[in-house]
Amino acid sequence: MKIMGHSDPAARKQAAQEALVSPLVLEAIVHLEEAARGGHVFAMFNLGISHLYGYGQTDGRRDPDLAAEWFEASGLPEGLFAKSLHASSVGRKEEAEMWRSRASVLGFGSSWRKQARERTGSGGSSGAKLNLKWPPLPTGETPQEF
């Protein structure tokens, strides 16, 4: 689906809304769920992204609480950092600092972390990025790249 090809803002927004529940996005979410059940931490992290941004929801409804659970379940430094952002957003400052500290101890924010993660890869494939390439939302935003 070519969202940016629409010149009419209403058509662009409609195309982006449809992208949230496109067959490819829904199929990706099913595969992420299956992989997460098997313990795949990149899949868990991306399920957090899908719930945080409303992918797979016909109304675009976001579920930051469920997203935070997936970020925590991933155990990845990036997931723990995202969990800290959620705790902070709901006013739990001490909990937010705990998650931020754990993420930092595991390498989040360090110069070597992203390079090491991409070199190691996921599922035996090096060069794998943590974030999937999610389509733009109706607002035009895309998920933060970790």
Side-chain angles (χ1 to χ4, degrees):
M1 176 170 294
K2 190 170 185 179
I3 295 171
M4 301 316 266
H6 295 286
S7 58
D8 175 27
R12 215 174 20 254
K13 184 174 181 177
Q14 177 62 32
Q17 188 67 38
E18 290 170 6
L20 289 175
V21 292
S22 76
L24 290 176
V25 168
L26 294 176
E27 184 178 352
I29 291 171
V30 167
H31 288 296
L32 289 172
E33 290 169 343
E34 290 174 6
R37 278 193 291 277
H40 195 284
V41 295
F42 279 33
M44 293 174 194
F45 180 86
N46 277 284
L47 282 171
I49 295 284
S50 73
H51 290 290
L52 184 62
Y53 288 89
Y55 290 104
Q57 302 297 318
T58 55
D59 60 0
R61 184 182 55 81
R62 299 174 181 216
D63 190 342
D65 296 329
L66 184 54
E69 290 180 34
W70 278 115
F71 290 138
E72 180 183 352
S74 79
L76 293 168
E78 297 80 5
L80 301 182
F81 180 75
K83 173 78 174 185
S84 78
L85 294 175
H86 175 264
S88 181
S89 74
V90 294
R92 298 192 307 249
K93 293 181 194 253
E94 287 181 23
E95 181 183 345
E97 184 50 42
M98 177 200 65
W99 291 115
R100 188 172 289 114
S101 176
R102 287 184 185 182
S104 178
V105 165
L106 292 173
F108 184 79
S110 65
S111 60
W112 57 267
R113 171 65 187 151
K114 184 175 182 181
Q115 184 180 29
R117 185 187 70 228
E118 288 179 0
R119 208 175 311 137
T120 303
S122 167
S125 173
S126 64
K129 300 228 181 255
L130 177 56
N131 288 62
L132 292 179
K133 188 165 175 68
W134 296 98
L137 298 168
T139 61
E141 73 179 311
T142 55
Q144 176 183 347
E145 188 78 28
F146 282 88

